[in-house]
Amino acid sequence: MKPLPVVLLAFIFFGCVTSKPPLENANKEELKLAIDAHQVLQKHCQQCHGKGDSQSDAMLLEYEALIQDKFIRPWNAERSKLYKVIAKGDMPREEKDAPAGLFPRYDIGGPAVPKEELALIRQWINAGAPNWEKVGK
């Protein structure tokens, strides 16, 4: 095989599997979207995954952890684990889904995320997942 096709194939492959960095310089509208998305996550996820109250190792409401641990793939909600588990209905869990006495704590779960709020999470991720922690800075 000639060198050019190999380089081209490598570029295509690695270009497809690497993720783009999150949006850095968000405008007011994008920051509002980030705040709204964060409020949805607080409403539905904080009880089990919020800072200081986590029932798992994933501290979902810490923006940098979400990005660093690749729970969010900025610009691509369909590849983001956070979006997929919510869209699939795996989170938040409900008590009726609980295997007796097993981790995580299903007894403090909640109802499924409404479609409108799920769409907001999707929109936020597809907009580059701007950092809600940068609001007011």
Side-chain angles (χ1 to χ4, degrees):
M1 192 179 272
K2 295 181 181 179
L4 183 58
V6 172
V7 171
L8 183 60
L9 285 174
F11 177 75
I12 291 169
F13 175 76
F14 289 110
C16 292
V17 297
T18 59
S19 59
K20 292 169 68 175
L23 180 66
E24 287 292 324
N25 298 312
N27 62 36
K28 286 182 182 181
E29 185 177 305
E30 292 161 336
L31 287 175
K32 180 175 180 343
L33 180 61
I35 292 167
D36 292 346
H38 185 237
Q39 288 173 342
V40 170
L41 294 175
Q42 284 181 314
K43 177 180 172 184
H44 295 283
C45 309
Q46 182 170 337
Q47 192 169 2
C48 296
H49 298 284
K51 188 173 184 177
D53 296 315
S54 182
Q55 297 296 321
S56 75
D57 292 336
M59 300 298 280
L60 289 181
L61 297 181
E62 292 180 7
Y63 179 83
E64 290 302 324
L66 284 168
I67 298 296
Q68 183 178 345
D69 295 339
K70 298 191 172 135
F71 281 101
I72 295 175
R73 301 283 182 156
W75 312 99
N76 193 338
E78 302 303 322
R79 289 190 60 218
S80 297
K81 183 176 181 178
L82 176 75
Y83 176 77
K84 290 192 292 189
V85 298
I86 296 170
K88 188 177 175 185
D90 289 346
M91 289 286 167
R93 303 241 168 112
E94 295 184 53
E95 187 172 0
K96 67 178 179 60
D97 300 325
L102 291 181
F103 175 84
R105 299 254 335 257
Y106 293 81
D107 60 317
I108 59 175
V113 175
K115 288 181 182 179
E116 303 80 31
E117 292 177 343
L118 179 62
L120 192 132
I121 296 291
R122 185 175 195 272
Q123 182 183 2
W124 167 66
I125 293 171
N126 286 338
N131 187 344
W132 60 70
E133 294 172 353
K134 293 196 175 196
V135 174
K137 292 183 180 179

